[in-house]
Amino acid sequence: MIGIDWYLALSAILFVIGIVGVLIRRNAIVVFMCVELMLNAVNLALLSFSAYHGDIGGMILVFFSLAVAAAEAVVGLAIIIAIFRNHLSVDILKVNLLRW
Amino acid sequence: MNYLHDIQAFLPGVIIAFTGLITILLESLKRDVRTMYGVSAAGVLAALIAAILSSTSEGGTAFTDAIVYGGWSSFGQVIILIGTLFSILLSADYLKSKSLHFGEVYAMILFASLGMLVLAASNHLITLFLGIETMSVALYVLAGLMHYRKTGAEAALKYFLLGAFATGFLLFGIALIYGSTGEMTLTSVAAAASPTPLFLAGSGLLLTGIFFKIGAVPFHMWTPDVYEGTPTTLTGFMATSAKTASFVAFALILVRMVPETSYESWQSVIQVIAILTMIVGNVIALVQENVKRMLAYSSIAHAGYLLVGMASGGYSAVLFYLFAYTIMNLGAFGVIAYFERTKNFDFTSIESYAGLGSRAPLMGVLLSVFLFSLIGIPPFAGFMGKYYVFASAVQAGMIPLAVIGVLASAASVYYYLRVMVYLYFKPEHKPVHLEKASVLFTATLILLAASTLYFGIEPLVSVTDLFGFVTGISP
């Protein structure tokens, strides 16, 4: 029997990998993938908490979070295409992210 | 289970949702854009009436405790819908001049508005998440409306990537709070919460997500770029309605979810953020040359004043401030949108407004009214809003907070008055041909200016009469 700690540890590791990826990668699509990784890490945590508490609420939230991630992907990829058309690159340093 | 009662409790949201669907259906039937414009404005008006009616009724919860209605939450919905209505009314002319007048714009405004209504009524962590995301995804689309311009595409990318990043934190916060308590309804979370590391970490992450949405320092980085790149009237929509929704949700969380034992530590975190937000927002606004960026930093500063009210527990003051801020800020963005309609001249820098006070006297006066109100000079609504917020800080014994707030808002006089100096006291660079605004556009702006004045002269009395909104109503 694997305890809840292991699931939570995995979820936290995935979440941190996602954060680090968002902060250090330059390609907008990779950054977006890292955001998705963060959301999926949370889904894992929600599922394990849900099973741990014997409560269905967390699993329902996972469904919503999957649907939201899909909606975000639709809008996000469209925006990245628009950026590519303007700059012929999806490098976020070239689009000057986070200036003063 | 009484679904009719639940639907009636959330009637404004239901009306907005159906209007949004009808609008997008009409678009697919290739109707004239003006039809979509009329339908969406009528739908928002109907929802506004429903919200005003329900704000006077007895409050309660609906959809198995997922949402709250009545009292503040409904008053928040009233403010959101006022913001939506005026944004729609002001958008038509402006978007036409930029060749951006599509029916989908109205559908997206309506869906964003639906998300805001859900957010302002959320009593459950799932509704909170869904509200924020419905609002944000629709706003990402609106931010990218001018995607053929570099600034527009950049604004959308920044807003989207940072917004999705913040969503990750918010969702992780929700997961940790759920994990430590096993509950998702706000009141049950408060009952089951204990200050374990898991719960504290979850609260911190949830706060981070909310601070991002209200644009508080140090999570404000996206605001200026997004405000600059978004079509101006829609920037007004983002700055007012979206902020109102996030603040009402924040108040609901503070009152309903935070257990009394840890309330003080939340307060001190909010105080620190409020001070940072006021100072950074005002100081950076001083050096801005672009009008929209200046207004973006000023909106960060206003979020700081609102946080003062949140920290001191003056939620009614915060609501009045949000109401005043919505009408005056939408007005200011509306006048800027009027100038930006001009072809062959770029109205982005403050210098370009030189001498316009005599060329467009009415618009000059209107802009001055809104800017005076944003400064917080009596007799305008902005003054009363600031007065209530700082008074509640003084009452709660947070004197230093109030003093810093007043000093910061004194600094803000400089950058607002600077625009007026250019309007009236500088010579025109070269004669510009300003296009005439439609009657509806001008009437909307005059109405906004008149209500800025009206709610400054008799503030809470009239608000109480109108909405049954009194300081005593619990959320």
Side-chain angles (χ1 to χ4, degrees):
Chain A
M1 179 69 189
I2 306 173
I4 184 174
D5 304 359
W6 291 96
Y7 290 103
L8 291 184
L10 176 61
S11 153
I13 291 169
L14 287 176
F15 192 75
V16 172
I17 292 176
I19 293 177
V20 172
V22 171
L23 295 179
I24 64 171
R25 297 303 294 257
R26 296 173 52 183
N27 185 314
I29 293 175
V30 178
V31 171
F32 178 55
M33 279 160 59
C34 291
V35 170
E36 291 290 305
L37 184 63
M38 286 165 67
L39 291 182
N40 283 320
V42 178
N43 288 344
L44 184 61
L46 277 169
L47 284 177
S48 38
F49 281 132
S50 190
Y52 175 75
H53 287 298
D55 177 84
I56 202 163
M59 299 194 188
I60 294 172
L61 180 50
V62 170
F63 276 107
F64 282 119
S65 129
L66 287 174
V68 162
E72 268 188 353
V74 171
V75 173
L77 291 176
I79 290 172
I80 292 174
I81 290 174
I83 278 285
F84 183 75
R85 283 193 182 150
N86 265 306
H87 296 262
L88 294 181
S89 152
V90 287
D91 188 331
I92 54 174
L93 292 182
K94 283 197 186 133
V95 290
N96 227 346
L97 204 62
L98 292 185
R99 87 192 122 110
W100 181 249
Chain B
M1 284 304 240
N2 189 343
Y3 284 109
L4 273 181
H5 162 263
D6 288 356
I7 288 174
Q8 201 197 346
F10 197 57
L11 194 58
V14 175
I15 294 174
I16 291 288
F18 275 100
T19 319
L21 292 175
I22 292 170
T23 312
I24 221 161
L25 201 67
L26 287 173
E27 169 68 30
S28 66
L29 294 174
K30 305 267 179 240
R31 298 286 173 208
D32 187 21
V33 188
R34 272 179 298 178
T35 322
M36 268 83 88
Y37 168 63
V39 166
S40 51
V44 177
L45 193 63
L48 180 59
I49 293 168
I52 290 176
L53 290 180
S54 87
S55 69
T56 52
S57 67
E58 194 82 355
T61 59
F63 293 108
T64 57
D65 284 349
I67 65 157
V68 284
Y69 63 92
W72 296 6
S73 164
S74 287
F75 187 69
Q77 293 191 332
V78 170
I79 304 174
I80 292 167
L81 289 168
I82 288 175
T84 313
L85 181 63
F86 285 120
S87 313
I88 289 178
L89 290 179
L90 292 174
S91 286
D93 268 23
Y94 174 73
L95 293 178
K96 222 176 284 170
S97 72
K98 300 268 167 198
S99 334
L100 284 171
H101 203 216
F102 310 121
E104 289 95 336
V105 176
Y106 296 111
M108 279 303 151
I109 292 179
L110 289 168
F111 290 137
S113 179
L114 172 66
M116 294 169 195
L117 294 179
V118 173
L119 183 56
S122 56
N123 187 38
H124 194 281
L125 292 173
I126 294 184
T127 19
L128 178 83
F129 173 68
L130 278 182
I132 283 198
E133 281 310 297
T134 314
M135 172 180 94
S136 305
V137 171
L139 288 183
Y140 300 150
V141 177
L142 291 178
L145 210 54
M146 298 201 283
H147 60 84
Y148 48 86
R149 297 229 307 234
K150 277 197 175 173
T151 49
E154 272 182 44
L157 184 71
K158 277 166 207 185
Y159 197 19
F160 167 70
L161 282 182
L162 294 174
F165 191 48
T167 300
F169 284 102
L170 182 92
L171 195 59
F172 203 45
I174 290 176
L176 293 186
I177 289 173
Y178 172 65
S180 67
T181 59
E183 298 285 348
M184 281 208 184
T185 313
L186 297 188
T187 37
S188 326
V189 169
S194 54
T196 52
L198 206 57
F199 182 74
L200 292 179
S203 315
L205 288 168
L206 184 70
L207 261 184
T208 309
I210 290 173
F211 282 145
F212 177 85
K213 292 294 168 198
I214 61 181
V217 178
F219 311 103
H220 65 287
M221 293 305 198
W222 57 278
T223 336
D225 294 323
V226 173
Y227 282 21
E228 191 186 340
T230 309
T232 307
T233 50
L234 302 175
T235 313
F237 179 55
M238 269 181 201
T240 57
S241 291
K243 203 162 265 188
T244 305
S246 313
F247 266 105
V248 173
F250 191 15
L252 286 172
I253 288 175
L254 275 179
V255 174
R256 296 186 151 242
M257 196 199 84
V258 179
E260 279 181 23
T261 43
S262 58
Y263 186 72
E264 278 193 6
S265 49
W266 280 64
Q267 266 189 329
S268 43
V269 172
I270 299 170
Q271 277 189 53
V272 173
I273 298 283
I275 292 173
L276 276 177
T277 309
M278 286 187 294
I279 292 177
V280 171
N282 278 313
V283 168
I284 305 183
L286 292 176
V287 296
Q288 295 303 320
E289 288 302 323
N290 179 317
V291 183
K292 278 167 89 179
R293 282 183 92 81
M294 186 274 280
L295 279 179
Y297 279 105
S298 106
S299 95
I300 295 173
H302 282 281
Y305 309 139
L306 284 160
L307 284 173
V308 170
M310 296 300 265
S312 56
Y315 303 115
S316 304
V318 169
L319 274 185
F320 183 78
Y321 197 113
L322 283 168
F323 176 69
Y325 175 70
T326 298
I327 51 180
M328 62 199 185
N329 212 26
L330 267 181
F333 277 111
V335 179
I336 292 174
Y338 164 76
F339 288 125
E340 283 184 353
R341 287 167 67 234
T342 312
K343 295 198 170 64
N344 312 324
F345 194 80
D346 192 21
F347 278 106
T348 47
S349 70
I350 294 179
E351 275 91 23
S352 61
Y353 283 73
L356 286 180
S358 50
R359 179 160 286 274
L362 178 64
M363 289 297 163
V365 169
L366 288 173
L367 186 57
S368 311
V369 168
F370 297 127
L371 291 178
F372 272 127
S373 182
L374 282 167
I375 297 174
I377 285 178
F380 298 107
F383 166 72
M384 289 318 290
K386 260 183 200 165
Y387 171 74
Y388 285 130
V389 165
F390 293 140
S392 86
V394 172
Q395 264 172 14
M398 300 173 175
I399 311 285
L401 196 61
V403 171
I404 294 175
V406 172
L407 288 179
S409 82
S412 76
V413 175
Y414 171 76
Y415 57 82
Y416 290 123
L417 277 185
R418 198 161 156 247
V419 178
M420 275 181 267
V421 168
Y422 273 99
L423 269 181
Y424 288 108
F425 301 114
K426 300 265 175 170
E428 219 170 345
H429 296 302
K430 58 168 191 180
V432 192
H433 175 68
L434 291 173
E435 282 175 49
K436 270 216 158 10
S438 74
V439 179
L440 187 64
F441 188 87
T442 322
T444 311
L445 282 179
I446 291 175
L447 180 64
L448 283 170
S451 37
T452 309
L453 191 60
Y454 177 74
F455 288 103
I457 293 169
E458 43 182 315
L460 262 191
V461 188
S462 49
V463 176
T464 315
D465 291 345
L466 275 179
F467 309 116
F469 151 71
V470 270
T471 38
I473 290 183
S474 63

